[in-house]
Amino acid sequence: MPGKLQPDILRKSVLDFTGSKRDDLIVGGGIGEDAALISVPNGILVAASDPVTGAAKNAGSLLVHINANDIACKGGDPSWLIVTLIIPDSLGVNFIHDIMQEIHETCESMNIAIAGGHTELTDRYLQPVISGTMLGITRYELSAKKIQEGDVILVTGHAGLEGMSIIANDRPDLITDIFTPDEINIIRSWGKNLSVVEPAKILREFARYMHDPTEGGINGALYEMQEGSGLGIELCKENIPVSELTLRASEKLKFDPFNLISSGMLTAVIPSEKVQEAQEKLLLHGISSGTAGVFRGGKNKKLTLSTHEELWGILSRV
């Protein structure tokens, strides 16, 4: 099935192969870990890599944001981006120019330098391969392994916002009978709200762990948090923000909004005694949040959650 590998396959086919053991690798690859933490002189280097696979429009901007989000979720400041573009020769150099200009403008607005990469035209692929590796520096050691029983999950943003913006931009024909033109424009505008860098910077002083729900949506993120921590979650699903527009689309198109790709949401695990202060600090910056759940001990407390991504099936509809 297309999409991210299921966790059991990921463990056997990817995560079992970790190369040489090094003492300077603080956090490596793992389920629910958005980025690696590497000890370097005078600090901790954060490294993350992600491709853009689902979007056609705004792919350059999206590439920057999804990689910057992973750095921010480790408490870091996104600083350097390495870009890999493998482009069908049918799209040509103009496509490369346009997407690099978009990447450049987005990086410039976020004080991120494009440090290098690789670019080529190919006759082997029908679709472009667009991937980035982001680097930054942090002083925090955030990890799912640090989550404790009683910790609270805060969420910002709203479920499915990225997936909905991709549908509105790339397949508006699927939703013209559901929304007015003005509503479709509103949904398209959500594509400008995919960064979690600001809330992550606010919450990093409070958090044990932060995560950016991408493929599989908020349900996928919660599943990964359970797997990474070894704890269960007492879920408060009614506290997870979801737009009325997303709910309307999910009813008509028959998909689960909590399994729709959701860059732009942030999940942060906060000790219970710090939750009120963290939420108040978010509000000072105009950012609302909800308490999505509490971690509980014991395997019998684990939620059964699907990691299935809804976007691919929606985009493939005739």
Side-chain angles (χ1 to χ4, degrees):
M1 180 181 293
K4 288 174 66 174
L5 294 180
Q6 294 296 307
D8 57 335
I9 299 174
L10 186 66
R11 289 190 187 94
K12 294 175 182 178
S13 300
V14 178
L15 297 179
D16 281 348
F17 305 105
T18 58
S20 180
K21 305 294 183 184
R22 293 184 58 98
D23 293 338
D24 51 9
L25 182 62
I26 301 169
V27 174
I31 293 172
E33 298 294 358
D34 288 320
L37 297 178
I38 304 165
S39 178
V40 295
N42 303 317
I44 300 171
L45 179 69
V46 196
S49 184
D50 255 331
V52 172
T53 55
K57 294 183 179 178
N58 306 315
S61 175
L62 181 58
L63 182 77
V64 178
H65 285 308
I66 62 174
N67 281 284
N69 286 350
D70 285 347
I71 300 300
C73 283
K74 287 298 185 193
D77 297 311
S79 302
W80 306 279
L81 178 66
I82 297 170
V83 180
T84 297
L85 300 178
I86 303 177
I87 307 301
D89 55 8
S90 60
L91 294 177
V93 174
N94 286 343
F95 180 90
I96 293 172
H97 175 277
D98 291 346
I99 199 165
M100 281 306 304
Q101 182 174 3
E102 187 178 341
I103 291 170
H104 159 74
E105 290 172 354
T106 308
C107 283
E108 196 171 42
S109 72
M110 299 175 70
N111 195 31
I112 297 168
I114 300 172
H118 174 83
T119 309
E120 67 175 84
L121 291 170
T122 181
D123 60 3
R124 296 190 177 189
Y125 302 113
L126 297 176
Q127 299 295 328
V129 177
I130 304 168
S131 184
T133 297
M134 188 76 75
L135 304 171
I137 299 294
T138 186
R139 59 185 178 88
Y140 301 91
E141 294 186 21
L142 306 184
S143 172
K145 292 181 173 61
K146 295 194 173 185
I147 297 172
Q148 298 180 17
E149 187 172 355
D151 287 347
V152 176
I153 303 168
L154 286 188
V155 292
T156 67
H158 55 97
L161 76 166
E162 179 188 5
M164 287 293 294
S165 70
I166 291 172
I167 294 165
N169 278 296
D170 294 355
R171 288 297 308 274
D173 57 294
L174 295 175
I175 57 174
T176 51
D177 292 338
I178 304 173
F179 302 114
T180 67
D182 285 345
E183 288 173 327
I184 292 175
N185 285 333
I186 289 171
I187 296 169
R188 284 176 176 151
S189 74
W190 294 351
K192 299 177 181 178
N193 301 322
L194 301 183
S195 175
V196 300
V197 172
E198 183 181 6
K201 283 185 177 182
I202 295 167
L203 292 176
R204 62 190 180 185
E205 66 179 283
F206 304 102
R208 298 193 203 275
Y209 169 82
M210 293 189 287
H211 189 33
D212 171 31
T214 52
E215 283 195 48
I218 186 67
N219 278 347
L222 292 170
Y223 177 87
E224 291 177 349
M225 291 159 73
Q226 287 188 145
E227 292 296 296
S229 67
L231 297 170
I233 295 172
E234 182 182 316
L235 187 63
C236 303
K237 199 169 185 177
E238 65 276 9
N239 290 345
I240 299 175
V242 55
S243 169
E244 182 275 331
L245 298 176
T246 302
L247 288 174
R248 200 192 315 167
S250 70
E251 291 169 1
K252 294 290 186 179
L253 298 177
K254 306 300 182 187
F255 68 85
D256 186 345
F258 294 100
N259 275 107
L260 186 61
I261 190 168
S262 295
S263 291
M265 288 194 82
L266 175 67
T267 58
V269 180
I270 311 289
S272 58
E273 67 274 11
K274 296 182 179 180
V275 169
Q276 182 176 348
E277 184 182 358
Q279 289 190 290
E280 288 174 352
K281 191 165 184 180
L282 285 171
L283 282 175
L284 286 175
H285 292 80
I287 301 171
S288 60
S289 61
T291 54
V294 179
F295 281 91
R296 301 299 187 195
K299 291 185 178 179
N300 61 331
K301 297 289 186 181
K302 285 193 174 182
L303 297 171
T304 300
L305 294 162
S306 169
T307 61
H308 167 72
E309 173 53 54
E310 295 279 16
L311 181 65
W312 316 126
I314 297 170
L315 293 180
S316 66
R317 296 183 190 182
V318 177

